[in-house]
Each structure stands twice: as structure tokens, then as C-alpha cells.
Amino acid sequence: MVVVTGQNKVSANPDDAMSSSDAEDDFQEPATPTATQAGQALPLLPQQFPEVVPLNVGGMFFTTRLSTLRRYEDTMLAAMFSGRHYIPTDAEGRYFIDRDGTYFGDILNFLRSGDLPPRERVRSVYKEAQYYSIGPLLDNLEDIQPLKGEKVRQAFLGLMPYYKDHLERIIEIAQLRAMQRKARFAKLKVCVFKEEMPITPYECPHFNSLRFERSESETKLFEHHCEVDVSFGPWEAVADVYDLLHCIVTDLSARGIAVDHQCIGVCDKHLINHYYCKRPIYEFKITWW
């Protein structure tokens, strides 16, 4: 039996009816999204901030003006409080920044009135200024001690090939020897030399002329590696061997490593004729506890 309504014909066959329904589903318009789906699809509205902003920086509380946080537009703080990004609040409604707040007061003081931190906090504040991308503060800190002197020191160390690798080598060897001996400290030999070509004391006045007159074959006769654990040099700068030793000790100490050193002689390796190496050898003592 077939039921006809107007011009539409509906088949009494159940299978035919299902096929017709499936075909109609292909042309159905999308369902209206639920409120939850609509909320997920819509972008978040810009966050509004009060003129006086309460802050919680890693558990330390601060209060400042919104204009202070936006003082320099290319900083992370200006971007965070621009309204384009969502910032969570703590239970008291303070805007939370997940960062150690120890030096955040120094950051705010610069943004408020251009004040710089005392010398003993310069390095730490510089690190925070890097995190918050505060370019003007970074420029000011780099122009005072100790960062100004550090720039000069790094310019010198830039002449030193593999300087950082050699520091790691010193630590690695000292740690291995201390563990093997089950000892509190370890000793190793370090060669630090400024000049590349070896000389003997009585040839020193003629050194500059001798170094440039040697042929390639003669130069190879002077190729030599001292019997030490680590060797620094050569370099061309006014800074001398003692300056480099100071850099080595400073950088090791900055990593919490206790180090003492003393000169124990020179490399007396005979090279050719009356030429000897004569590079100074230092004994480094690394104390681990």
C-alpha cells in the first residue's frame, strides 16, 4: 500500500523509508551550537585592569599604578597588562605573576622613577630585567659596575679559544680524580701561556725577529703539547697570564667550586738545538667539601 500526499510519495517499505531519511540527513543544516560550544568558540573578551593594580609576585605583594607597568610598551609587563592576555588572580584578587619576587621591587622602582639598584644587587636585577624584557633598565645596568667591567672581561675572554670547554674539562677531571681516590680534593696541572712560540731566557731579546724568520718546516719542529691536564693559550692582548688565571678562578668560584693555584715550574721540554718550551705550569687544587 502506498500513501500519497500531494506530490510526495512515501514508500510503505521500511527499508525504502530509512534510505529516504538518510538522504535527507545529508542536506540538513548544522544544528545550533549549545551554549558551552558557543562559549568555547568565542574569543575571550579583553581583560580590564584597575588604575591601581595589586600584585602577587611569587608570594610577595606589591601595589602600583597600571601606567607604571605599561611605562615601556616593548616590555613583558606592558604586554601582560595590555588587556590582550589573561592574568590569573589569587584568593585576595591580586594579579599573580609566577616569578620570584625578591627583586621585583627594584624593577618597579626603575619603572616609577628610573632608580637603579645598589651595586650588590645589580647582577640579580639584571637577570630579572632580562626576564621582563625591560631594555632601558638593561642598558643602564650594563653601563655600571660590575656589569661594565664584565663586558671588558668578556671581550678579553673572547680571544681565548675553547675557554668554556677548558673550564668544564678542569671540573670534569677534578671530580673524577676525587671520586676515584675518595678524597676531599683533587689536583691537576694547567698550562697558561700567552706567547705561542717557545723561547729560552737568553733568546728573549731576539724573540720577535726569530718568530717571523722561521720556515714552515722549522715551525713544525716547535709544535708541542705540554704534559698537562688542560692548556690555555696563546692570545694577543695586553692582559697577561695572571689576568687569565684570575678569570679562571673567578668563573670556577662563581659555580661554587673552591680552587687554589700555584706555579710549580715550567715545561722544560727540549725541542730543538737550544730551544726549550718554558711555558709556566700551575697546579690547581679543587676542594669539593
Side-chain angles (χ1 to χ4, degrees), residues 32-42:
T32 302
T34 64
T36 302
Q37 293 171 333
Q40 292 175 347
L42 292 175

Side-chain angles (χ1 to χ4, degrees), residues 35-254:
T36 302
Q37 293 171 333
Q40 292 175 347
L42 292 175
L44 292 174
L45 295 176
Q47 190 171 12
Q48 301 295 322
F49 298 101
E51 181 60 28
V52 177
V53 182
L55 298 170
N56 178 345
V57 184
M60 299 183 68
F61 306 141
F62 303 89
T63 303
T64 188
R65 292 174 63 93
L66 181 62
S67 58
T68 299
L69 297 171
R70 296 176 176 176
R71 176 63 52 84
Y72 299 103
E73 60 181 13
D74 292 333
T75 67
M76 179 186 290
L77 287 173
M80 291 171 64
F81 290 90
S82 65
R84 300 190 304 269
H85 307 281
Y86 175 75
I87 302 179
T89 56
D90 63 12
E92 302 299 325
R94 291 179 286 252
Y95 295 96
F96 180 72
I97 299 177
D98 193 11
R99 182 77 176 175
D100 187 350
T102 304
Y103 304 102
F104 192 75
D106 293 303
I107 298 293
L108 285 181
N109 286 337
F110 176 80
L111 295 177
R112 288 165 176 156
S113 55
D115 292 343
L116 297 176
R119 180 174 177 177
E120 62 270 15
R121 296 207 300 266
V122 165
R123 292 183 185 274
S124 299
V125 175
Y126 185 83
K127 182 179 179 181
E128 294 304 295
Q130 286 180 312
Y131 176 79
Y132 293 111
S133 301
I134 306 176
L137 177 53
L138 291 172
D139 293 338
N140 277 272
L141 293 176
E142 288 175 355
D143 203 38
I144 61 176
Q145 287 287 62
L147 296 183
K148 192 176 184 68
E150 182 63 17
K151 290 174 65 175
V152 178
R153 191 178 80 97
Q154 289 299 328
F156 162 57
L157 292 179
L159 303 175
M160 204 64 48
Y162 310 111
Y163 175 76
K164 293 183 178 179
D165 293 338
H166 292 337
L167 285 183
E168 295 297 332
R169 183 64 177 159
I170 289 176
I171 297 173
E172 178 184 344
I173 293 175
Q175 181 179 7
L176 180 62
R177 288 180 180 171
M179 293 181 67
Q180 288 177 338
R181 296 175 56 245
K182 308 298 187 294
R184 179 168 170 255
F185 63 86
K187 296 180 180 180
L188 62 159
K189 293 181 180 179
V190 177
C191 177
V192 181
F193 65 102
K194 182 176 180 180
E195 303 292 351
E196 184 173 9
M197 302 300 290
I199 58 174
T200 54
Y202 53 85
E203 288 167 339
C204 194
H206 307 289
F207 173 70
N208 288 334
S209 60
L210 288 172
R211 71 181 295 184
F212 292 110
E213 291 178 358
R214 291 169 181 159
S215 65
E216 182 178 352
S217 59
E218 289 175 327
T219 300
K220 290 183 178 180
L221 295 175
F222 290 92
E223 291 181 353
H224 163 62
H225 296 285
C226 303
E227 295 181 0
V228 295
D229 298 298
V230 182
S231 185
F232 292 85
W235 68 89
E236 294 184 5
V238 175
D240 59 20
V241 168
Y242 298 103
D243 296 321
L244 181 58
L245 286 170
H246 181 273
C247 290
I248 296 172
V249 173
T250 298
D251 290 334
L252 290 175
S253 299

